[in-house]
Amino acid sequence: MKNRLKILRAEQGLTQAQLADLLDVSRQTINAIETGKFDPSLPLAFKAARLFKLPIESIFEDEQ
Amino acid sequence: MSPLTRNQNWKNTNKHNTARLAKWTLAWLISMAIANFGPLFIWQQDVLTIVTICINFILGIGMILANRRQLLGLDELQQKIQLNAMGLSLGVGLIVGLSYSNLDTTNLITGHAEISHLVIIMGLTYLVGIILGHRKYQ
């Protein structure tokens, strides 16, 4: 699954650690999601969507 | 409550859960040593041995519950890493344990198959699984 988390985070001027704080996860998890190594659960994806005030499909995109 | 404060709570809860697990594990380990070595070096009474084994068992249950709480407090990636490591440890423990037992029952090894050897194998496998998991998602 592709995602725009890194771009959105940069637009907001947030570090990985700050975004991790806002989403209640570890910095390692944010890094793994940004690099495409780990796909977040739906609750976490929705949480990110709420944080950036965007629809979930504009942040996460199915690669298939 | 601000998100940053909330996350600080999440981190503090994780630290607290990990410290709690460490205390239960230490208590269980000490009680295990007492239950094993007490009858050999300190006392020769079956009642005391039974009591120490019961205490060890109860502390073991406490350790399991503390471990469960610690795991549930982790985030989803950390839980995935733990799950993979536990799966690897369980699989290796099962396969190696049964092969080891077969070697013993068929008298292909001179000594008896010791459960402690299996625990060491599972512990090391779990450790390797955790390291590999963290490296994979670095």
Side-chain angles (χ1 to χ4, degrees):
Chain A
M1 190 163 68
K2 286 196 295 187
N3 69 80
R4 296 176 53 227
L5 209 60
K6 190 173 183 176
I7 297 163
L8 294 168
R9 177 174 63 77
E11 283 175 0
Q12 300 286 325
L14 294 169
T15 64
Q16 283 188 341
Q18 286 169 327
L19 182 59
D21 284 344
L22 293 166
L23 293 176
D24 285 342
V25 293
S26 61
R27 193 201 61 77
Q28 182 188 19
T29 299
I30 296 298
N31 185 57
I33 294 170
E34 284 186 357
T35 52
K37 291 176 181 171
F38 176 68
D39 291 333
S41 65
L42 264 181
L44 181 56
F46 273 113
K47 207 170 182 177
R50 273 198 305 274
L51 181 73
F52 290 112
K53 296 184 175 64
L54 288 169
I56 196 166
E57 62 270 22
S58 67
I59 303 178
F60 300 97
E61 186 188 330
D62 189 7
E63 283 183 294
Q64 289 185 342
Chain B
M1 187 186 291
S2 76
L4 285 176
T5 312
R6 195 177 64 236
N7 189 262
Q8 206 57 44
N9 287 342
W10 177 76
K11 283 179 181 170
N12 286 339
T13 303
N14 271 344
K15 277 184 189 172
H16 183 70
N17 287 344
T18 305
R20 186 203 309 262
L21 176 59
K23 285 174 195 166
W24 275 103
T25 306
L26 184 65
W28 175 77
L29 198 65
I30 290 169
S31 71
M32 174 69 83
I34 292 170
N36 269 283
F37 298 117
L40 293 176
F41 303 114
I42 305 171
W43 66 78
Q44 276 79 40
Q45 294 171 329
D46 285 348
V47 177
L48 271 177
T49 307
I50 290 168
V51 168
T52 52
I53 289 172
C54 286
I55 290 170
N56 175 243
F57 182 78
I58 292 164
L59 289 173
I61 292 171
M63 183 177 68
I64 291 170
L65 294 175
N67 193 26
R68 180 179 179 274
R69 181 181 287 205
Q70 198 265 343
L71 287 173
L72 290 175
L74 298 175
D75 77 17
E76 53 195 62
L77 176 61
Q78 293 167 335
Q79 285 183 359
K80 185 182 168 73
I81 291 171
Q82 292 284 335
L83 180 67
N84 286 342
M86 285 190 279
L88 180 69
S89 174
L90 179 66
V92 169
L94 184 74
I95 301 304
V96 172
L98 289 176
S99 296
Y100 189 37
S101 173
N102 281 340
L103 289 172
D104 183 24
T105 52
T106 53
N107 291 322
L108 286 172
I109 51 173
T110 50
H112 287 296
E114 298 287 342
I115 191 79
S116 56
H117 295 164
L118 186 60
V119 172
I120 291 168
I121 290 286
M122 289 183 76
L124 289 175
T125 310
Y126 177 70
L127 193 65
V128 169
I130 292 289
I131 292 168
L132 290 178
H134 278 287
R135 283 182 62 180
K136 183 179 176 185
Y137 296 109
Q138 238 175 9

